[in-house]
């Protein structure tokens, strides 16, 4: 089962307690469904959970039943209303004249209350929404064929402190989020907090893994630099050995040279601790640089 399916399963666990919210959810479903006009309402879904929810939801919202129910078995499930009296009920509730409407718009008067807006978002997601598995990426979108509806949905979302993006692909108009925090907040608001938690856990795990990888890469790079620096120091000291030996060097430089030759794998901090008395990393670095300068001279 996909992550989108899991989200819709969670959203379908309970019906709205208020009739107005049931109507608002149906409104989102209808505007993001396959067909909503004066001759037919048609909702097509592959979600078994949404298919089980629809008859009870429309009965609670409008006291009407579907004229066509899905055939038994898996696959796409088609729900349809063609009865003129039932379509008239929907027209009256949402303030539409379905026989003459050229393009759908969202009737904001139906969605004045926040709880109704949330139910509307949930219906839109159930009918036209999808969300990527968070282990693979972050993307949630709501897709409708109604251009004005998509624009007006974005307006509603911004009023609820979301910041969606919009894009058109062919005849479809999409409102979408690509930020994990925004997706988690949206899922929580519409009634899928468990899915939101799963998303944030996946993000935390991904961030932790990325942080570990960055630290490992950084440590490896620092180790490479340290090895390269040590080899350069050893080369300079051996050059001094061949030319003049180390006996004529000041004691501090002579000590630093011998420690580096005897301990080629140690870091400057570890070498500095071996000096008698122990010195700072900075002091040892200064001595080794002085040896390099003498070798070049």
């Amino acid at each position: 089962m996909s992550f989108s399916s899991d989200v819709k399963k969670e959203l379908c666990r309970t019906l709205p307690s208020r009739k107005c919210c049931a109507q608002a959810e149906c409104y989102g479903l209808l505007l993001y469904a396959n067909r909503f006009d004066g001759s037919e309402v048609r909702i097509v879904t592959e979600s078994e959970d949404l298919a089980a929810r629809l008859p009870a939801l429309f009965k609670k919202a409008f006291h009407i039943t579907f004229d066509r129910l899905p055939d038994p078995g898996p696959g796409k499930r088609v729900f349809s209303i063609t009865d003129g009296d039932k379509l008239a009920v929907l027209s009256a509730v949402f303030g539409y004249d379905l026989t003459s409407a050229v393009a759908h718009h969202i009737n904001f008067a139906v969605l004045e209350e926040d709880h109704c807006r949330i139910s509307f978002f949930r219906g839109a997601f159930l009918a036209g929404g999808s969300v990527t598995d968070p282990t693979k990426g972050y993307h949630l979108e709501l897709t409708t064929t109604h251009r004005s509806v998509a624009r007006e949905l974005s307006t509603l979302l911004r009023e609820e402190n979301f910041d969606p993006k919009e894009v058109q692909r062919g005849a479809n108009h999409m409102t979408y989020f690509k930020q994990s925090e925004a997706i988690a907040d949206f899922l929580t608001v519409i009634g899928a907090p468990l899915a939101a938690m799963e998303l944030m856990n996946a993000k935390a795990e991904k961030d932790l893994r990325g942080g570990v990888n960055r630290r490992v890469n950084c440590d490896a790079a620092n180790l490479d630099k340290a090895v390269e620096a040590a080899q350069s120091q050893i080369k300079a000291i051996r050059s001094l050995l061949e030319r003049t030996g180390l006996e004529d060097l000041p004691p501090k430089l002579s000590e630093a040279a011998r420690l580096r030759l005897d301990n080629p794998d140690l870091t400057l901090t570890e070498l500095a601790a071996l000096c008698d008395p122990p010195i700072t990393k900075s002091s040892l670095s200064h001595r080794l640089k002085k040896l390099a300068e003498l070798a070049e001279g």
Side-chain angles (χ1 to χ4, degrees):
M1 186 178 288
S2 69
F3 185 66
S4 281
S5 299
D6 289 340
V7 172
K8 291 181 181 181
K9 185 180 184 69
E10 185 178 356
L11 293 175
C12 289
R13 285 179 179 169
T14 58
L15 286 173
S17 57
R18 297 181 176 95
K19 180 179 180 180
C20 62
C21 289
Q23 291 178 342
E25 184 176 322
C26 289
Y27 195 20
L29 281 160
L30 291 169
L31 291 177
Y32 280 77
N34 294 74
R35 185 171 180 181
F36 179 32
D37 57 36
S39 60
E40 184 183 14
V41 160
R42 186 190 305 140
I43 302 172
V44 180
T45 181
E46 293 185 2
S47 169
E48 181 180 349
D49 300 284
L50 178 56
R53 181 184 184 82
L54 283 172
L57 183 66
F58 272 71
K59 189 170 183 62
K60 182 178 181 67
F62 312 111
H63 300 289
I64 61 175
T65 58
F66 287 96
D67 299 322
R68 175 186 172 184
L69 294 172
D71 296 326
K76 292 185 177 179
R77 298 166 172 86
V78 180
F79 293 81
S80 177
I81 298 173
T82 54
D83 180 88
D85 292 337
K86 295 177 183 178
L87 293 172
V89 171
L90 300 179
S91 299
V93 170
F94 300 127
Y96 284 164
D97 179 1
L98 292 176
T99 61
S100 63
V102 176
H104 277 298
H105 289 268
I106 296 176
N107 184 351
F108 288 86
V110 180
L111 305 174
E112 291 183 347
E113 301 293 336
D114 284 343
H115 50 79
C116 290
R117 291 189 178 191
I118 290 168
S119 296
F120 178 81
F121 297 153
R122 181 169 56 249
F125 182 84
L126 285 170
S130 65
V131 58
T132 302
D133 184 333
T135 62
K136 299 176 181 176
Y138 308 117
H139 184 86
L140 182 148
E141 66 182 39
L142 304 162
T143 304
T144 180
T145 57
H146 308 299
R147 180 180 182 184
S148 297
V149 168
R151 288 184 171 181
E152 290 156 3
L153 174 70
S154 293
T155 299
L156 281 175
L157 286 168
R158 290 188 183 98
E159 289 180 2
E160 299 299 322
N161 297 316
F162 290 101
D163 186 23
K165 306 296 183 184
E166 299 173 44
V167 68
Q168 180 178 352
R169 293 180 192 155
N172 293 321
H173 302 272
M174 276 156 281
T175 306
Y176 67 93
F177 300 102
K178 294 193 77 69
Q179 298 80 26
S180 58
E181 292 81 1
I183 295 171
D185 289 345
F186 181 78
L187 292 177
T188 300
V189 163
I190 65 174
L194 297 180
M197 187 177 299
E198 183 178 343
L199 185 151
M200 295 311 295
N201 286 341
K203 182 178 186 299
E205 183 177 337
K206 203 180 297 184
D207 289 346
L208 177 61
R209 228 175 13 244
V212 169
N213 289 338
R214 282 192 295 274
R215 284 195 294 274
V216 168
N217 292 336
C218 181
D219 290 344
N222 289 337
L223 181 59
D224 288 343
K225 290 179 181 178
V227 169
E228 184 179 342
Q231 293 302 316
S232 176
Q233 293 157 6
I234 291 170
K235 182 179 179 181
I237 293 167
R238 285 177 176 165
S239 176
L240 279 175
L241 271 172
E242 292 173 2
R243 284 168 44 198
T244 62
L246 302 180
E247 291 77 10
D248 295 333
L249 292 174
K252 292 180 180 179
L253 294 184
S254 177
E255 179 187 41
R258 288 192 175 89
L259 284 174
R260 173 45 82 198
L261 288 175
D262 293 341
N263 303 279
D265 298 329
L266 294 187
T267 65
L268 287 182
T269 301
E270 291 167 333
L271 275 182
L274 294 179
C275 290
D276 185 19
I279 60 175
T280 64
K281 174 184 174 182
S282 176
S283 295
L284 181 62
S285 176
H286 176 75
R287 294 178 187 181
L288 291 171
K289 286 179 181 176
K290 184 64 176 177
L291 289 168
E293 290 173 0
L294 291 173
E296 290 176 1

